[in-house]
Amino acid sequence: MNRLVKTLLLTTTLILLVGCSNNVEKEQKKAETKNETTIEKKETKQLSIQPLKIAEESINKETKIIKIDYKIKNISDKKFQVAANDFIIKVGSEYYYMGDGDNYADTIKAGGNSEGSGYYSVPKDTKKFTLMYQPLDNDERAQWDLTVPANK
């Protein structure tokens, strides 16, 4: 190829790369402005689990209730039961279990999806915690290191 063609190809490539990178930066800024955080989806042998949103529901002198919204897909070929009490919150060396609220429970058909929320009572000053999917009736396991968003 001659030098002019190579220069044109290189210039076109750079323009495309700059344009794409600007779009990525714009999307990141939009997400930051909305205070959105995407929580990683994890898969076990049977499920694909995506915590969607964490919110502080209420607070009193010693504890607060956090609500975690879940999106769960059964990736197995059998129906599968899952509930908010299959999730445990670990803060430091302490464990906290499902609290009061309209807690999620469902039997998900093979290949099916389900969404619901779990309510958990944790110490009032909790900011960071580990969410563990750890049901008692099987060996499915997953965990996420999460942060309670600041209440606005």
Side-chain angles (χ1 to χ4, degrees), residues 63-121:
T63 62
K64 66 180 162 187
I65 302 293
I66 57 173
K67 175 184 172 189
I68 302 174
D69 296 334
Y70 300 103
K71 181 177 182 178
I72 301 173
K73 179 174 179 139
N74 182 347
I75 56 176
S76 75
D77 58 358
K78 299 179 214 163
K79 68 181 179 180
F80 197 85
Q81 291 182 336
V82 65
N85 66 337
D86 293 330
F87 294 87
I88 301 166
I89 290 182
K90 182 179 177 190
V91 179
S93 61
E94 300 294 321
Y95 295 89
Y96 301 90
Y97 302 89
M98 182 181 73
D100 293 336
D102 187 13
N103 283 295
Y104 169 76
D106 198 2
T107 300
I108 309 169
K109 67 181 180 178
N113 292 294
S114 182
E115 290 188 28
S117 302
Y119 296 82
Y120 306 89
S121 180

Side-chain angles (χ1 to χ4, degrees), residues 9-25:
L9 285 173
L10 181 59
T11 303
T12 304
T13 303
L14 287 173
I15 290 169
L16 289 172
L17 289 174
V18 168
C20 290
S21 114
N22 285 342
N23 287 339
V24 169
E25 288 173 12

Side-chain angles (χ1 to χ4, degrees), residues 39 42 54 90 128-131 143-147:
I39 302 170
K42 304 253 177 134
I54 303 163
K90 182 179 177 190
K128 295 182 182 285
F129 64 94
T130 300
L131 174 66
Q143 76 176 38
W144 300 260
D145 291 321
L146 302 173
T147 303

Side-chain angles (χ1 to χ4, degrees), residues 20-38:
C20 290
S21 114
N22 285 342
N23 287 339
V24 169
E25 288 173 12
K26 285 177 188 174
E27 291 302 316
Q28 287 173 340
K29 285 180 184 176
K30 277 185 195 175
E32 289 169 9
T33 302
K34 292 180 182 178
N35 199 20
E36 293 177 354
T37 304
T38 302

